[in-house]
Amino acid sequence: MTKPIGLDALSRRQFFKLAGIGAAAAGIAGCSSRPARDILPYAERPPELTPGVATYYATSLVQDGHATGVIVETHEGRPTKIEGNPDHPASLGATRAIEQAAVLSLYDPQRTRAITDRGVPTSWASIERVLAEARADRGRGTQVLLEPTSSLLAGELLARIRATLPAARVTFWAPFAARASLAGHRSVFGRPLERRLALHDADVIVALDADLVGDHPFALAHARHFADRRRVVDGDSRMNRLYAIETSYSPTGILADHRFRVRPSEIGLVARELLAELAAAGKVAPELAAPRATGPRARWIAAIARDLVAAGGRSAIIAGERQPAAVHALVAGLNAALASTCVTYAPSALIEAGEASHDLGPLATALAHGEVTTLIIVGGNPSYTAPADQGLAIDRAERSLYLGAYANETAAACHYVVPGLHDLELWDVVRAADGTISPQQPMIEPLFDGHSTCELLATWLGDKPVAARERVEAAWPRLVPGTSFHQALARGAVASSATPAVPVEVAWSAVATHAATPSTAAYELELRAHPYLYDGRHANNPWLLELPDPITKLTWDNAAQVSPRTAARLGIKTGDIVALAVAGRSLEVPAIVVPGQADATFTLYCGFGRTGAEGVARGVGVSAFRLWTTALGFAAPVEVAVTDRQRTLAITQGHWELEDRDQLPSATLAELGHDPRVRSELARQRGPQPTLLGKFSQTGAQWAMSIDLTTCSGCSACVMACAAENNTPVVGREQVLNSREMHWLRLDRYVTGPDEDAPIAVEPMACQHCENAPCEYVCPVEATSHSDDGLNEMTYNRCVGTRFCSNNCPYKVRRFNWFDFKQHSGLQVLARNPDVTVRDRGVMEKCTYCVQRIRRAEIDAREAGRPFQGHDVRTACQQVCPTQAITFGSLNDATTAVTEHRTRPHDYAVLHDQGTVPRTHYLARIRNRNPELG
Amino acid sequence: MTTAAHDDVLLGRPSDHAINEQLLSTTWRPMTRGWKILFAICSAFTVLLFALITLTFMRGIGMWGNNIPNAWGFAIINFVWWIGIGHAGTFISAIMLVLEQNWRTSINRFTEGMTLFAVMQAGLFPLLHLGRPWFAYWLFPYPSVMGTWPQVRSALPWDAAAVSTYFLVSLMFWYLGMVPDLAGLRDRAPTRRRRIIYGICALGWRGSTQQWRHHKVAYMLLAGIATPLVVSVHSIVSLDFSITALPGYHSTIFPPFFVAGAIFSGFALVLTLIIPARRWFKLENVITLRHFELMAKMCMVMSWIAIYSYVVEIFLAWYSGDKFEIYQQIMYRPFGFYAWTFWTMIACNCLVPQLFWSRRMRRNLKVLWIASLLINLGMWLERFEIVVVSLSRDFLPSSWHTYMPTWVDLGILAGTFGFFGLLFLLFLRFVPFVPVAEIKQMRGELEREKVAA
Amino acid sequence: MKDKIALAAELGSGEELKRCIEILRDLGMSRFETFTPYEVEGLQELLGVPRSRLSWIVLAAALVGGGGAYFLEWWINVVSYPLDIGSRPLHSAPAFLPIMFEMAVLFGSIAALISALVLGGLPTLWHPMFEVEGFRSVTDDGFWLAVHAGDTALDRASATAALEAAGARRVVWLGAP
């Protein structure tokens, strides 16, 4: 299942090099050729592309049919960095780690390279023949499996397919696409509507197993709207309050003011008990009153209910997509009962969302009965992601065709394979989760002459071939009447094109259908999409594999998360391999002990254990999909057997406790306001200190950073953005095991409270740019020194690698090139940022406050002949942050947020008593606790 | 010091000629089988050493166990340990000369040789542990086209200066003291080839009034200079740690603590080496039990200084109230992941030397020899405590990580023992390792004092 | 040439050597040279050799080494390439001391070795005495006394007699009488 430790890191590097040799030619060609037809820049079209100066274009990245608007930085027509699109409602300028890493997937050496017939290269003409036959007899015997899509072009084509090929069957499928919520809402509202949240209006938010800032298609917008209500200036700031009720820790759980651990099957019960409380409060008809909560839960459920009622409609209760339809029905009822103005409903942006065509079952059955002549799979990886009870017998189809960008399991199972396109290579018009129309334009010509979904569907319909751009431009007036195509491309979105909310009528009879009794199973297993690999589609992306999990800090593996108490009862510790059995299907996986996990539960991420041709993904972790059945859903009773075998897990931070040190102070809003002890405790960690050292002149810009821990969810987008911006190398599992990971920015997470619900806070930790930098005076060769704008600078070319600086860094944020980690050749070197030096073996490196961006801004100011203000300088981590927890600017400028943050009562410096005078300060973690719950 | 005490630093009253024959003949008498076997073993380990150095240079020091936070490991431990070994040599030959401890005469050349070869081993590591060793010369000031210079606030350029100075001074001291004996070999060596080679090395020494006169002054001066030097060198080495802010490094008692530790381990290694050498070369009359007694007593003294330092370190950690120091010194070292190294160190450095309260033990060569090995182990572990254990638990728990050496680390350490042994065996083979002229002179003095008494 | 050695005699011990010097003195000779396996107590006083000046050379060299080192450290940090190193002052005097000390020691020691050899007339791989029969014993147990040819009081017969009477193992005359 997994390679022996000691081989994989090295072989992986070699593998890249080998793969690169073959790819180099195509790659270079790809990067040097710009799209044949013009595409439009973000702001205004540049008169001329200046070599060495990046150009920025707007486009959209799509996951399960939902668009996220992005700005792509290209150098000489080569995409190198992805930023969020501030004008796009699903991005608001931020992205997740996944979008950051998309640029590496574009250059993935394991992309499908050529059209093949059972492995033998063939031509598009033969594909056209196959599709022509599939057209015969009104498409009888032809089944098409698509990923859920919101593409307006695909919509048109599918409508024509339904009309002209009625006998063909089209199925939309992705393992984590929304199904339960739509079904639940259908039962309550009569229509499969989608929930819309206005979190900026919500005072009280209850997340029931819902990672609303993490794996929700609109997560980035949720995160921003949520965080905007939590910018604590001082003790009397107004703050919203978030209750997270979940099984395993999620970024939402980290942000929560109160977090309660329950088993997956108890979530529905909690919803019922909330309903009962509301009934008691006279908010709903008493006949709906389910049993009131008893036992330890009663206290906090009553408190939450009172808090919700007190919010007077400015509240939101959100159930996660993993929960069954009945729970979503319940929650819809709860929000209706509270007359919540923050939760509205609108039709989904996806084609046929919530309809029968989104069920994989019929296709699986048809295949099993051999009723499929031609099977056309477009995108996705159903052979790997299909539920264990709906496995696709692709080989039972007479002919199977796969269109996809990666040589994955499904590609291996199909007769014909057609190279697909990466989002950065194609033209399309898609919709964001709120329905906003978002054009997609290519940043680069297809690297491996891929074909788009629309092209395939059109060919199936027998249309004449037409260039991708023409297809879009011609369709635009039809699809989005009365808007400018060019303007849309330039902005990356069509303004106010979101689908409006619709009025709903609650069928109360359908609300309280959920069973009032929890599962009696000894242990429950919860299956979740991996925060970075998602459903496994990104498993071949080394950046994402090496990105530490927000909670467990695990890399290059998945493991069954288990609470300390349950682990003690079972006598297992982190790394022990356990056998999990669901409905007779068993899986052996290492356990990892995680504080804050609900007792008697296991949580396992999907997306690992890939077996396709993708060399990086292969053999990493185990596939949790093998335990997933549509019958049981994402939470199921599980039998656990402990084996006597272990696997060492590559965890970048094994330590959870603060060790009674004050590197991460946290307080409640009330304490910050009135508790003098807390206020002085925080004040002790900032301000001047006695020193013998003088100061060098600090005129001009003096760069500094301030990080608000109250709004940091640990989502790790900043870490990925830093790696993408600064060319930090991937080192592989074996090196991570020896604590040699190269990320310049790490997210320290600590359990900040004694109770078993284990409140976690996260502290981003990169170079603190100390004014009295301890690293500098121990360097024997002046390789690290101070710039006059307050940066702690590394001169790579001068470094001899004594590593004395790392020893003397109290924050241990310096990274060393133990080997020649950098990739020398291969397609993926094209993703590098040409503005940042690629470091050599034996050299120390660390965060530079993105000095290349600072210098670029200085040069631009000089060229424009205006005084350098530096207001436009944003570091990569700051720019990507969904909650805008990071601010950056000059201390000599009274107008910057950084200067203002320094004046707040919860501003502090880590290890202040060491006298290093760090330029990075933090705002302590503030929780808005419900007084009733203390 | 009493006559009796004097008496048994040289047994019997051999004539000048007898002394000459006995001590010079070690260079031409056929080597014992033990010597040949040892020579073969040491050569093998030397080859291993240079093979692993090549590997490290080719692949990078990722071949070692180091990581972040444990950016320093075996290389620095070995460096400090080997330098320390050297110190006993200088201590015996220089400081005791200044203090007119004439029993040191019989063993000073031996220990000076040990110093040289130990410093050579130590000198390897600062170079090896660099990420880019081919730029090591950047630590020395030279007019570079980039106009860059070393950063002399760092302790590493101090190291570079101290260690290279120490090596050169030891070499010169050793050579100057040896010139008369090289002349002796020139005049006595059996073959013409040897006579020519030794003759060149002797530079034409003929023991004239002028030569003896300046030689004596220069020798005393070098000894006088070497005395503060030996103290400065390990003090500066200790500053590699003291000038940092790291809990476990950040300590003001390191300089004296390191110097004492150095002499401690150095004396132990003198014992380790001289006990077999004395046996093989039948020098029982020149290197007597009295020498061993005195060295055993020195070890015990140094061990008490070490004990004192350990106690002070722990006390200061507690007294400072600094939670990082307290965790490192009082909780992690004695009870943490590396606790076994701590307690082994205590056993070797604090308990074992207490044997030497008993005269019988001091005069029992087997006990002495095994004790000396244990002390060397203990002193190595002391450096392990400081270098690795401190790094593996510093300020922020998020960056805590343990350190484990790789086979390359262990191989290089073993290799330096081989290389050291090789050089030492050659030294025993080709130069008189007991100073002939000085022994003759000491014999004269002994006789006069006998008469006086 | 005047300090050419005319007479060389081998004696059995330092005491004998000293006695012979006194005897020859009584015969009026004054320009002696001795060669001994090790330093003989009181010999230098007997020959009235002045105290060696070597220490002054060493001191001077040490001062040059130390002073030069400190100056260099000051110059590269303050004049040649000033840098903000963790806000430490450019002229960080305490940090400059260790190298200053080491350089003083190094220069002093080199001076000591070189001047000891040079003042002692080394290296001279050939010396007239090496031609003398049996002079090899000088590093073994032979204590040699030599008289320079330039010594006006040197008389072959009396000197030989006196030395043989004093128990010289060997008396050798160099060059023509």
Side-chain angles (χ1 to χ4, degrees):
Chain A
M1 191 190 322
T2 53
K3 299 191 201 69
I5 301 169
L7 292 176
D8 60 352
L10 181 58
S11 63
R12 179 167 294 108
R13 276 202 300 282
Q14 284 174 335
F15 160 78
F16 277 144
K17 292 173 181 169
L18 295 176
I21 295 161
I28 304 307
C31 84
S32 58
S33 75
R34 321 233 1 261
R37 295 292 310 270
D38 319 344
I39 57 176
L40 290 181
Y42 174 54
E44 67 278 312
R45 186 172 167 182
E48 191 64 56
L49 178 135
T50 327
V53 176
T55 352
Y56 298 84
Y57 301 99
T59 185
S60 304
L61 301 181
V62 173
Q63 174 177 296
D64 292 352
H66 295 299
T68 304
V70 295
I71 309 293
V72 181
E73 174 181 351
T74 67
H75 288 268
E76 292 77 57
R78 167 170 64 92
T80 58
K81 179 77 169 67
I82 289 174
E83 304 292 357
N85 182 347
D87 292 351
H88 193 281
S91 160
L92 302 177
T95 80
R96 301 170 303 166
I98 290 176
E99 284 78 22
Q100 287 300 315
V103 68
L104 195 69
S105 303
L106 168 67
Y107 301 113
D108 188 331
Q110 265 87 40
R111 286 186 56 179
T112 40
R113 300 294 181 98
I115 300 173
T116 54
D117 172 357
R118 294 173 182 76
V120 182
T122 175
S123 69
W124 176 248
S126 61
I127 300 300
E128 283 174 328
R129 264 197 309 283
V130 173
L131 293 170
E133 290 168 27
R135 203 158 52 230
D137 189 10
R138 299 163 47 252
R140 180 167 312 287
T142 301
Q143 293 251 17
V144 182
L145 177 55
L146 294 160
E147 287 181 293
T149 176
S150 62
S151 160
L152 302 184
L153 294 174
E156 275 193 332
L157 291 163
L158 285 164
R160 287 174 51 209
I161 287 166
R162 294 245 183 265
T164 59
L165 304 170
R169 206 174 177 299
V170 178
T171 310
F172 300 92
W173 164 257
F176 295 105
R179 283 182 293 273
S181 59
L182 295 170
H185 294 156
R186 179 196 290 276
S187 65
V188 182
F189 304 129
R191 295 170 58 189
L193 295 172
E194 223 174 49
R195 186 204 322 101
R196 296 284 160 79
L197 298 172
L199 289 181
H200 29 49
D201 297 333
D203 295 335
V204 179
I205 303 158
V206 180
L208 293 169
D209 188 25
D211 185 4
L212 64 154
V213 303
D215 58 18
H216 188 284
F218 219 49
L220 293 166
H222 290 165
R224 169 71 65 78
H225 295 149
F226 172 74
D228 283 342
R229 294 288 313 279
R230 296 174 78 79
R231 314 264 179 223
V232 179
V233 178
D234 56 31
D236 50 30
S237 303
R238 290 194 67 256
M239 229 177 137
N240 59 8
R241 179 174 293 136
L242 169 61
Y243 300 89
I245 298 152
E246 57 187 13
T247 303
S248 59
Y249 242 117
S250 71
T252 303
I254 289 178
L255 285 171
D257 300 296
H258 291 275
R259 179 176 179 275
F260 304 101
R261 309 174 298 149
V262 300
R263 301 170 55 161
S265 64
E266 291 171 330
I267 294 281
L269 199 60
V270 168
R272 274 196 82 107
E273 288 161 354
L274 279 171
L275 192 65
E277 294 299 324
L278 294 189
K283 288 283 173 181
V284 286
E287 66 266 21
L288 289 172
R292 299 275 293 265
T294 55
R297 264 213 311 277
R299 179 164 156 278
W300 54 263
I301 285 190
I304 294 175
R306 271 191 291 278
D307 212 10
L308 284 165
V309 172
R314 295 173 65 81
S315 67
I317 305 173
I318 307 122
E321 202 49 56
R322 283 186 299 274
Q323 288 299 317
V327 174
H328 289 274
L330 255 171
V331 170
L334 285 169
N335 284 316
L338 290 162
S340 163
T341 57
C342 309
V343 183
T344 55
Y345 301 89
S348 165
L350 301 179
I351 297 167
E352 298 175 13
E355 308 299 335
S357 61
H358 279 251
D359 179 0
L360 191 62
L363 172 56
T365 327
L367 276 168
H369 297 149
E371 298 160 358
V372 182
T373 352
T374 309
L375 173 62
I376 303 172
I377 301 175
V378 182
N381 187 8
S383 312
Y384 165 76
T385 57
D389 56 353
Q390 291 184 347
L392 297 184
I394 293 174
D395 52 350
R396 303 289 304 279
E398 274 176 40
R399 272 191 311 275
S400 55
L401 183 155
Y402 178 66
L403 173 86
Y406 300 94
N408 55 23
E409 291 84 339
T410 311
C414 292
H415 301 135
Y416 298 92
V417 175
V418 181
L421 293 173
H422 187 277
D423 277 341
L424 297 179
E425 291 174 328
L426 54 74
W427 282 102
D428 206 339
V429 184
V430 289
R431 284 172 169 273
D434 69 344
T436 301
I437 293 169
S438 326
Q440 285 185 294
Q441 55 180 340
M443 299 297 113
I444 185 170
E445 287 225 318
L447 294 178
F448 306 110
D449 108 86
H451 299 266
S452 69
T453 309
C454 294
E455 186 179 358
L456 187 91
L457 295 177
T459 317
W460 185 28
L461 280 163
D463 293 4
K464 285 191 306 302
V466 46
R469 189 178 197 275
E470 273 64 30
R471 188 192 306 281
V472 178
E473 203 161 14
W476 186 268
R478 263 199 331 276
L479 300 172
V480 204
T483 62
S484 150
F485 179 53
H486 287 195
Q487 203 190 8
L489 288 181
R491 285 176 53 94
V494 176
S496 60
S497 56
T499 38
V502 296
V504 290
E505 198 53 51
V506 179
W508 288 101
S509 55
V511 166
T513 57
H514 184 270
T517 53
S519 152
T520 56
Y523 296 101
E524 286 184 48
L525 173 70
E526 178 198 43
L527 299 174
R528 293 182 55 167
H530 189 273
Y532 314 137
L533 308 189
Y534 193 51
D535 57 7
R537 69 184 65 183
H538 304 302
N540 203 49
N541 188 315
W543 283 2
L544 292 171
L545 280 171
E546 196 157 297
L547 185 61
D549 176 276
I551 315 295
T552 63
K553 300 295 166 188
L554 178 62
T555 66
W556 291 106
D557 248 321
N558 62 340
Q561 300 176 24
V562 59
S563 76
R565 173 176 298 196
T566 309
R569 189 164 68 241
L570 287 166
I572 51 177
K573 53 189 184 329
T574 295
D576 292 356
I577 293 183
V578 294
L580 303 175
V582 174
R585 297 186 183 79
S586 177
L587 194 64
E588 287 199 342
V589 59
I592 185 169
V593 180
V594 181
Q597 174 84 8
D599 293 327
T601 65
F602 289 83
T603 294
L604 191 58
Y605 282 136
C606 301
F608 289 87
R610 298 283 310 278
T611 56
E614 293 157 287
V616 181
R618 206 189 302 112
V620 177
V622 295
S623 174
F625 284 119
R626 282 158 44 195
L627 297 183
W628 176 42
T629 57
T630 43
L632 292 167
F634 291 102
V638 62
E639 285 105 52
V640 185
V642 182
T643 74
D644 54 2
R645 278 168 290 120
Q646 271 90 21
R647 173 169 169 83
T648 335
L649 296 172
I651 300 170
T652 59
Q653 183 192 345
H655 214 84
W656 294 84
E657 296 74 29
L658 286 163
E659 290 295 335
D660 167 41
R661 304 176 178 193
D662 44 20
Q663 67 269 35
L664 204 173
S666 55
T668 70
L669 188 62
E671 287 169 339
L672 184 69
H674 317 109
D675 190 328
R677 191 188 50 76
V678 170
R679 289 178 71 95
S680 62
E681 201 34 45
L682 285 162
R684 198 177 54 70
Q685 293 188 59
R686 59 171 177 266
Q689 277 181 316
T691 173
L692 294 171
L693 300 177
K695 281 265 167 287
F696 281 68
S697 100
Q698 294 191 341
T699 56
Q702 289 300 320
W703 300 110
M705 187 176 271
S706 176
I707 305 178
D708 183 355
L709 303 187
T710 306
T711 53
C712 178
S713 71
C715 72
S716 302
C718 50
V719 181
M720 199 76 282
C722 177
E725 172 74 14
N726 293 301
N727 301 332
T728 54
V730 169
V731 297
R733 178 172 182 275
E734 192 191 35
Q735 297 301 317
V736 175
L737 275 172
N738 195 15
S739 185
R740 289 171 174 180
E741 64 274 7
M742 295 298 284
H743 293 137
W744 286 0
L745 171 60
R746 64 169 200 263
L747 300 186
D748 294 353
R749 58 101 181 82
Y750 298 101
V751 174
T752 59
D755 58 54
E756 276 204 323
D757 290 337
I760 284 180
V762 179
E763 182 173 62
M765 184 57 64
C767 177
Q768 304 281 298
H769 293 271
C770 311
E771 287 179 12
N772 305 342
C775 51
E776 290 178 7
Y777 74 87
V778 297
C779 174
V781 291
E782 292 176 336
T784 181
S785 56
H786 236 68
S787 77
D788 54 11
D789 51 359
L791 303 181
N792 170 283
E793 293 181 322
M794 245 333 273
T795 315
Y796 303 126
N797 287 347
R798 180 65 177 170
C799 179
V800 296
T802 66
R803 311 187 293 294
F804 205 172
C805 49
S806 171
N807 285 357
N808 207 25
C809 173
Y811 311 91
K812 289 289 175 286
V813 291
R814 292 179 154 259
R815 298 288 174 258
F816 188 69
N817 290 271
W818 299 99
F819 288 109
D820 191 358
F821 284 135
K822 67 175 181 294
Q823 197 179 334
H824 286 268
S825 61
L827 207 48
Q828 287 173 326
V829 302
L830 297 174
R832 281 196 193 135
N833 180 355
D835 297 337
V836 176
T837 316
V838 175
R839 282 77 58 187
D840 208 341
R841 183 247 275 190
V843 170
M844 192 62 74
E845 59 181 70
K846 62 160 195 74
C847 161
T848 63
Y849 271 173
C850 284
V851 65
Q852 67 278 10
R853 294 181 173 210
I854 297 174
R855 300 300 173 235
R856 162 60 56 193
E858 285 172 351
I859 292 165
D860 293 347
R862 203 180 312 129
E863 283 176 343
R866 55 183 154 80
F868 176 61
Q869 289 293 319
H871 293 153
D872 49 347
V873 178
R874 283 189 303 167
T875 64
C877 51
Q878 170 194 22
Q879 185 167 4
V880 77
C881 181
T883 58
Q884 295 190 326
I886 302 176
T887 51
F888 180 77
S890 167
L891 286 179
N892 279 357
D893 182 344
T895 68
T896 56
V898 173
T899 327
E900 186 272 323
H901 283 194
R902 291 285 200 273
T903 65
R904 296 185 180 181
H906 56 316
D907 164 74
Y908 76 99
V910 176
L911 298 177
H912 179 67
D913 53 357
Q914 294 296 310
T916 52
V917 194
R919 277 289 174 89
T920 299
H921 276 217
Y922 296 82
L923 295 175
R925 171 68 196 269
I926 303 300
R927 291 192 177 83
N928 181 18
R929 304 281 291 184
N930 179 340
E932 273 192 69
L933 294 167
Chain B
M1 150 168 352
T2 71
T3 332
H6 265 301
D7 248 352
D8 51 20
V9 296
L10 179 64
L11 300 182
R13 285 284 164 270
S15 71
D16 287 345
H17 183 65
I19 294 172
N20 211 48
E21 286 303 302
Q22 183 191 10
L23 297 183
L24 293 182
S25 62
T26 56
T27 62
W28 63 76
R29 236 191 280 126
M31 280 294 108
T32 60
R33 221 164 130 268
W35 187 92
K36 292 187 179 127
I37 294 166
L38 273 175
F39 188 81
I41 296 171
C42 291
S43 317
F45 275 97
T46 311
V47 172
L48 172 72
L49 172 65
F50 286 98
L52 291 181
I53 289 176
T54 316
L55 179 67
T56 308
F57 280 1
M58 285 170 60
R59 296 287 317 282
I61 45 177
M63 297 307 294
W64 301 356
N66 302 60
N67 55 35
I68 303 292
N70 302 287
W72 284 359
F74 263 39
I76 301 298
I77 299 168
N78 301 342
F79 165 69
V80 178
W81 188 80
W82 274 116
I83 281 279
I85 293 301
H87 281 41
T90 323
F91 186 83
I92 289 170
S93 55
I95 299 181
M96 289 192 169
L97 177 67
V98 175
L99 301 177
E100 294 181 336
Q101 298 292 311
N102 62 1
W103 62 273
R104 53 67 82 178
T105 306
S106 333
I107 56 170
N108 70 338
R109 169 109 13 100
F110 190 90
T111 56
E112 285 161 27
M114 190 185 78
T115 300
L116 277 181
F117 307 136
V119 175
M120 286 166 80
Q121 308 311 317
L124 286 173
F125 288 103
L127 180 68
L128 289 187
H129 101 116
L130 291 184
R132 303 200 293 174
W134 48 93
F135 290 132
Y137 64 91
W138 286 355
L139 267 73
F140 295 91
Y142 70 99
S144 128
V145 288
M146 306 296 293
T148 50
W149 299 99
Q151 202 286 99
V152 292
R153 292 171 196 80
S154 166
L156 297 182
W158 308 349
D159 263 353
V163 174
S164 37
T165 301
Y166 185 46
F167 177 72
L168 290 171
V169 172
S170 310
L171 184 64
M172 294 187 285
F173 189 57
W174 183 65
Y175 178 68
L176 187 65
M178 207 160 57
V179 167
D181 293 353
L182 289 168
L185 279 166
R186 172 197 64 202
D187 297 339
R188 180 62 188 77
T191 69
R192 173 176 169 72
R193 213 170 96 261
R194 282 168 177 260
R195 280 205 293 280
I196 291 170
I197 294 166
Y198 287 127
I200 292 166
C201 300
L203 303 172
W205 176 270
R206 47 194 183 280
S208 75
T209 331
Q210 292 298 322
Q211 288 169 350
W212 276 122
R213 167 178 162 226
H214 297 297
H215 180 275
K216 181 177 184 203
V217 178
Y219 196 62
M220 285 305 283
L221 270 174
L222 277 182
I225 293 173
T227 307
L229 173 63
V230 67
V231 175
S232 79
V233 170
H234 228 50
S235 302
I236 287 177
V237 168
S238 78
L239 293 180
D240 291 354
F241 308 101
S242 293
I243 67 165
T244 70
L246 189 78
Y249 277 22
H250 183 66
S251 165
T252 47
I253 67 160
F254 271 7
F257 171 29
F258 269 52
V259 173
I263 293 163
F264 188 24
S265 55
F267 266 100
L269 195 69
V270 175
L271 287 167
T272 317
L273 296 174
I274 211 164
I275 289 171
R278 170 180 186 262
R279 190 105 153 281
W280 285 325
F281 298 101
K282 313 221 170 3
L283 298 172
E284 287 79 1
N285 63 329
V286 183
I287 300 163
T288 67
L289 282 178
R290 174 166 172 74
H291 290 109
F292 291 115
E293 264 207 273
L294 291 162
M295 283 191 272
K297 284 177 181 165
M298 283 302 301
C299 285
M300 194 158 62
V301 174
M302 294 303 167
S303 139
W304 276 104
I305 299 180
I307 293 170
Y308 170 79
S309 313
Y310 299 157
V311 173
V312 167
E313 244 193 326
I314 290 168
F315 169 77
L316 285 181
W318 167 77
Y319 188 69
S320 71
D322 177 300
K323 48 178 144 13
F324 307 115
E325 284 284 343
I326 291 174
Y327 180 85
Q328 172 65 218
Q329 300 279 6
I330 300 175
M331 293 163 73
Y332 188 59
R333 284 191 188 177
F335 309 113
F337 180 77
Y338 292 111
W340 67 273
T341 62
F342 178 83
W343 295 112
T344 318
M345 171 192 84
I346 295 292
C348 294
N349 295 352
C350 307
L351 303 184
V352 169
Q354 306 315 320
L355 288 171
F356 303 147
W357 287 106
S358 125
R359 187 162 191 277
R360 235 177 65 259
M361 292 300 173
R362 291 200 300 266
R363 299 177 82 88
N364 176 333
L365 294 190
K366 286 193 187 57
V367 172
L368 272 178
W369 197 69
I370 291 163
S372 72
L373 289 178
L374 289 174
I375 292 169
N376 281 316
L377 170 67
M379 287 311 295
W380 193 91
L381 288 175
E382 179 189 302
R383 278 56 180 262
F384 182 88
E385 288 299 308
I386 294 166
V387 174
V388 165
V389 181
S390 308
L391 281 170
S392 64
R393 287 287 184 276
D394 72 333
F395 295 93
L396 299 182
S398 60
S399 48
W400 288 358
H401 201 280
T402 51
Y403 165 90
M404 275 298 155
T406 62
W407 65 277
V408 181
D409 287 301
L410 299 164
I412 288 181
L413 176 56
T416 54
F417 286 119
F419 191 31
F420 175 83
L422 185 72
L423 294 165
F424 207 85
L425 289 166
L426 293 171
F427 160 72
L428 295 179
R429 184 76 183 99
F430 291 111
V431 297
F433 60 88
V434 180
V436 184
E438 290 178 57
I439 290 281
K440 291 176 188 167
Q441 191 171 5
M442 179 175 78
R443 191 206 56 133
E445 286 162 16
L446 293 177
E447 277 183 346
R448 267 197 307 291
E449 286 181 24
K450 194 84 168 273
V451 174
Chain C
M1 59 185 286
K2 52 196 246 303
D3 62 354
K4 191 153 165 273
I5 286 168
L7 165 66
E10 180 189 12
L11 296 139
S13 76
E15 297 311 311
E16 287 182 22
L17 178 66
K18 285 192 267 185
R19 204 160 58 249
C20 291
I21 290 173
E22 275 155 5
I23 294 168
L24 295 188
R25 271 238 178 87
D26 300 343
L27 293 174
M29 298 176 213
S30 59
R31 306 201 34 209
F32 305 108
E33 177 69 276
T34 64
F35 306 91
T36 55
Y38 52 87
E39 199 185 16
V40 176
E41 285 284 322
L43 188 57
Q44 295 191 17
E45 293 76 353
L46 188 66
L47 296 168
V49 185
R51 204 175 170 293
S52 166
R53 274 203 183 63
L54 194 139
S55 1
W56 296 107
I57 304 172
V58 173
L59 175 65
L63 290 175
V64 170
Y70 193 97
F71 172 79
L72 184 65
E73 294 181 88
W74 170 83
W75 183 76
I76 63 182
N77 277 288
V78 178
V79 180
S80 170
Y81 204 144
L83 272 174
D84 175 356
I85 300 293
S87 352
R88 267 60 180 176
L90 292 177
H91 183 190
S92 312
F96 296 172
L97 296 181
I99 292 180
M100 184 188 82
F101 174 81
E102 296 302 329
M103 287 305 109
V105 168
L106 183 59
F107 279 60
S109 316
I110 294 172
L113 178 73
I114 293 176
S115 38
L117 297 176
V118 171
L119 295 176
L122 297 177
T124 43
L125 294 184
W126 181 87
H127 187 275
M129 285 303 285
F130 291 156
E131 305 291 337
V132 173
E133 175 66 29
F135 183 68
R136 269 189 197 175
S137 66
V138 74
T139 53
D140 185 349
D141 56 357
F143 295 75
W144 288 76
L145 171 62
V147 184
H148 287 157
D151 197 316
T152 49
L154 177 58
D155 165 58
R156 186 165 189 148
S158 53
T160 315
L163 288 168
E164 273 164 359
R169 292 179 187 167
R170 188 188 271 110
V171 179
V172 185
W173 288 90
L174 293 78

